[in-house]
Amino acid sequence: MPELPEVETIARSLRNPAGLPFDNSGSLQTRPGIVGRVVSSVELLWSRSLVTPTIEELGSALTGKPVTTVGRRGKFLVIAFEDYWMFIHLRMSGDLQVCPASTTFGKHDRLRIHLTDGFILLFSDPRKFGRVWLVRDPGEVLSGLGPEPLSDDFTPGWLHQELVHRRRQLKPLLLDQHFIAGLGNIYTDEALHRAKLHPLTISSSINAAQADLLWQAIRSTLQEGIRRNGASIDWVYRGGDFQNHFSVYGRQGETCPACGAEIQRILVGQRGTHFCPTCQKIRYNKPR
DNA sequence: CACGAGACCTGTTCGC
DNA sequence: TGCGAACAGGTCTCGT
């Protein structure tokens, strides 16, 4: 489910003392933030959800400790304590929310962190792909991640150099978290459409102007996703709105909003890939 | 180095 | 209605 904008939305809601008022649907209560709240106990319901340390060590490390800050790095949620960093990756189907302590167990609950003033931080995950780490050194989990696409480290010049430096198809390259941290299947397809680049274009063929367009497309797509509180599709609903503004993702057979041509769906590296065959043509600028 | 296939998982939707 | 297949927002590992 979650890519950068969805994780950012969750991080903001956990940071906001009043909870984030997602939208006007009425189906979501505002959820209180967790910064400053103190851990009273932890429960692990699916052992593989916790990578490190053991659940006993997790409990003794955190009991009595307040949450100091909440953030995000790539698709990782970051929950900081005095001497420890907790990282949570939601993978395909994970979710993180704050519930009243009286909330009964859900079928998909994986980790419950009880807080002293009547709330539980609940990690749930139907598909069990999500993972939680508690470490003293953040590099243990985050080393190897590419730059944050919304940070100042990420520039058109850097992007062009890195694209030309490799010889890979754009779609799998943009999905590679070592290259850029945070893009997933939805936002990659949407960004490539905005940049008018075919997903199978070889990265080394991109010129500076195209790299500049791609840079802008990545930034604007992610920013719009965040502004709309992320995208929610299928049975996992979290209040985001971006799913109603997709240009290509999941729209195979429908018309391109830019040109009216029929959106195509192909498989690239086992991932469904959506694009407009008219707007996004492969051009070889540097054929070899 | 780059790519494809398989693994890890459960739930929903689609096609016959 | 039933049932198997296909598909799902992610990432890792292995073989070529």
Side-chain angles (χ1 to χ4, degrees), chain A residues 59-177:
Chain A
S60 56
L62 295 188
T63 299
K65 300 293 170 56
V67 173
T68 57
T69 62
V70 175
R72 177 192 60 73
R73 172 75 173 96
K75 299 176 191 171
F76 288 87
L77 260 154
V78 182
I79 301 177
F81 296 86
E82 284 167 25
D83 300 315
Y84 294 94
W85 299 88
M86 176 175 278
F87 298 106
I88 300 174
H89 198 305
L90 303 173
R91 295 278 178 93
M92 294 286 267
S93 62
D95 196 10
L96 200 60
Q97 51 189 347
V98 177
C99 310
S102 58
T103 307
T104 53
F105 280 89
K107 187 180 177 184
H108 302 122
D109 293 3
R110 306 301 174 205
L111 178 67
R112 292 161 62 102
I113 300 177
H114 295 258
L115 304 169
T116 47
D117 40 11
F119 291 100
I120 296 172
L121 178 62
L122 170 65
F123 169 59
S124 60
D125 184 15
R127 289 180 71 181
K128 301 178 176 173
F129 289 162
R131 293 290 181 267
V132 178
W133 296 254
L134 186 77
V135 293
R136 288 179 180 275
D137 171 17
E140 210 177 305
V141 179
L142 303 182
S143 69
L145 280 184
E148 279 295 309
L150 297 179
S151 77
D152 294 341
D153 300 345
F154 182 63
T155 64
W158 178 90
L159 180 61
H160 186 221
Q161 283 311 302
E162 294 293 320
L163 288 170
V164 170
H165 179 76
R166 299 160 212 238
R167 184 170 284 271
R168 293 180 62 183
Q169 296 173 334
L170 288 181
K171 172 79 189 256
L173 180 57
L174 293 177
L175 286 175
D176 185 343
Q177 303 298 296

Side-chain angles (χ1 to χ4, degrees), chain A residues 22-286:
Chain A
F22 279 112
D23 67 356
N24 50 19
S25 72
S27 64
L28 287 165
Q29 294 98 12
T30 53
R31 302 182 283 194
I34 60 168
V35 175
R37 295 188 196 278
V38 176
V39 175
S40 57
S41 63
V42 296
E43 292 174 281
L44 183 63
L45 294 320
W46 177 253
S47 65
R48 300 191 64 181
S49 296
L50 181 61
V51 176
T52 189
T54 65
I55 184 59
E56 290 78 16
E57 291 169 323
L58 182 77
S60 56
L62 295 188
T63 299
K65 300 293 170 56
V67 173
T68 57
T69 62
V70 175
R72 177 192 60 73
R73 172 75 173 96
K75 299 176 191 171
F76 288 87
L77 260 154
V78 182
I79 301 177
F81 296 86
E82 284 167 25
D83 300 315
Y84 294 94
W85 299 88
M86 176 175 278
F87 298 106
I88 300 174
H89 198 305
L90 303 173
R91 295 278 178 93
M92 294 286 267
S93 62
D95 196 10
L96 200 60
Q97 51 189 347
V98 177
C99 310
S102 58
T103 307
T104 53
F105 280 89
K107 187 180 177 184
H108 302 122
D109 293 3
R110 306 301 174 205
L111 178 67
R112 292 161 62 102
I113 300 177
H114 295 258
L115 304 169
T116 47
D117 40 11
F119 291 100
I120 296 172
L121 178 62
L122 170 65
F123 169 59
S124 60
D125 184 15
R127 289 180 71 181
K128 301 178 176 173
F129 289 162
R131 293 290 181 267
V132 178
W133 296 254
L134 186 77
V135 293
R136 288 179 180 275
D137 171 17
E140 210 177 305
V141 179
L142 303 182
S143 69
L145 280 184
E148 279 295 309
L150 297 179
S151 77
D152 294 341
D153 300 345
F154 182 63
T155 64
W158 178 90
L159 180 61
H160 186 221
Q161 283 311 302
E162 294 293 320
L163 288 170
V164 170
H165 179 76
R166 299 160 212 238
R167 184 170 284 271
R168 293 180 62 183
Q169 296 173 334
L170 288 181
K171 172 79 189 256
L173 180 57
L174 293 177
L175 286 175
D176 185 343
Q177 303 298 296
H178 302 286
F179 184 64
I180 299 173
L183 289 173
N185 211 33
I186 292 176
Y187 292 90
T188 298
D189 282 2
E190 293 296 318
L192 285 171
H193 180 259
R194 286 191 190 194
K196 300 190 185 298
L197 290 168
H198 192 286
L200 297 180
T201 305
I202 301 300
S203 59
S204 54
S205 76
I206 295 292
N207 64 32
Q210 291 173 315
D212 201 84
L213 266 178
L214 180 58
W215 177 85
Q216 288 197 41
I218 290 170
R219 305 259 295 200
S220 71
T221 305
L222 293 173
Q223 281 161 348
E224 183 178 349
I226 292 171
R227 185 165 58 75
R228 298 190 183 281
N229 294 323
S232 325
I233 56 184
D234 295 341
W235 35 280
V236 189
Y237 180 71
R238 206 179 25 249
D241 179 47
F242 192 48
Q243 69 278 10
N244 299 320
H245 302 271
F246 292 161
S247 294
V248 289
Y249 184 84
R251 298 190 64 247
Q252 59 272 23
E254 299 176 37
T255 55
C256 171
C259 76
E262 187 174 310
I263 302 299
Q264 306 288 305
R265 179 184 186 275
I266 59 174
L267 225 44
V268 180
Q270 322 290 84
R271 310 300 302 277
T273 297
H274 315 76
F275 68 101
C276 170
T278 304
C279 295
Q280 297 167 267
K281 294 197 193 293
I282 300 186
R283 293 206 187 83
Y284 294 99
N285 297 302
K286 293 183 186 172

